[in-house]
Amino acid sequence: MSPNARLIKESFSLVEPVAGKAAAYFHGRLFAEHPNLRALFPATMGIHDDRVFEALAKIVRMLDDPAGLSAFLARLGRGHRRYGVVAEHYEAVGSALLATIRHFAADAWTSEVEAAWTEAYAMVADAMIDAARAEARTRPPWWLAEVAGHELRAPDIAVVTLRPAQRLDFTPGQHVTVQTPRWPRVWRPFSIANAPREDGTLCLHVRAVPGGWVSSALVRHTRVGDQVMLGPPSGTMAPADTDRDMLCVAGGTGLAPIKAVIEHVIGSGRRPRIHLLFGARHAGDLYDLPDLARMASDFPRLRVLPVVSDDPGFSGTRGRLPEIMERLESWPDHEAYVCGPAAMVHEAVRRLRKAGVPPSRIHCDGTPGDLGHPSGTPGAPAVSLTP
């Protein structure tokens, strides 16, 4: 560990236990010195306070992983474009951040610690600014999109079809962040549930979660003809370029990116056997079975197995997805795609690796050490150092 990284981690360990107070102090300092920046942030700061320190903690943890840190900072820098963040704002944020660490580190703050934080923040800001400038050369910070379809498939699940005003290129398996008029400057990630189409439309599978401002707005308060804003597509769960048979494990609205991957593979002309395990707690939450049945009818090498965990009245396969997956077959020769609640994904990945599936053939949006679910359900916090 470098001396600077050690000083930063030691001083940050004094701040992390009071992260909530530190975040409030940071934003209070920032807005007092630069009141014009308040307009870049959500009206309610509570959730955002948590995310600021989630991002900061992750950066501190990754100081000894330059490659991983560089990739993370690039994602943050690109993501900040949708809030209207420009290079000049980073100086103000850095000043408020160092003042916050200094305040809460108290007697542990020395000239050496200050120098370490100053140098590290300059590196962080430069990386984020460079990534934002590079992306600005090729695509806008956000797209306007019209709601072209809205189907309520369950009391808390909707399939929302969007038509972007400009072409939005994406890879099957990726997600976009969404902002609704109901909650300005609040963005949440949702997976795209289709492969690219000629008409440019996107489908999102959205579950309204408790306290989910954007997900609830999309499910309960959005109508055909409304407009939303979309951030640039991102995510790493892309279809593998192979004819190898596929195992797909989807929990809840984690079906969305996996369905996009399956659509892409079918449309490519390849003919692998595709095993799709689609799980939910209750039978009523298997919201997409009719369309999956249509896909299986058009492509007989697709086998769809609905799985329900907590519904005694369900007559089909019952149990937890990772257990059913392990019970059905051995999968070492398959490409595996997994998405859903983080705990399910972790367990499925663990069992696949134990069964001999190489990590390079296990696809999910993240890595086994940092898994999340980008389709709008819990487990996908969009961390941010600024808005």
Side-chain angles (χ1 to χ4, degrees), residues 6-19 21-23 25-26 29 53 56 96-117:
R6 178 180 57 79
L7 290 172
I8 290 170
K9 290 182 178 185
E10 288 175 355
S11 53
F12 187 68
S13 70
L14 302 173
V15 181
E16 205 164 12
V18 290
K21 292 181 179 179
Y25 183 94
F26 163 74
R29 182 91 178 215
F53 267 77
L56 185 57
L97 177 62
L98 264 65
T100 301
I101 304 298
R102 181 188 307 117
H103 177 80
F104 286 93
D107 293 343
W109 188 263
T110 65
S111 58
E112 291 81 6
V113 172
E114 181 169 3
W117 274 97

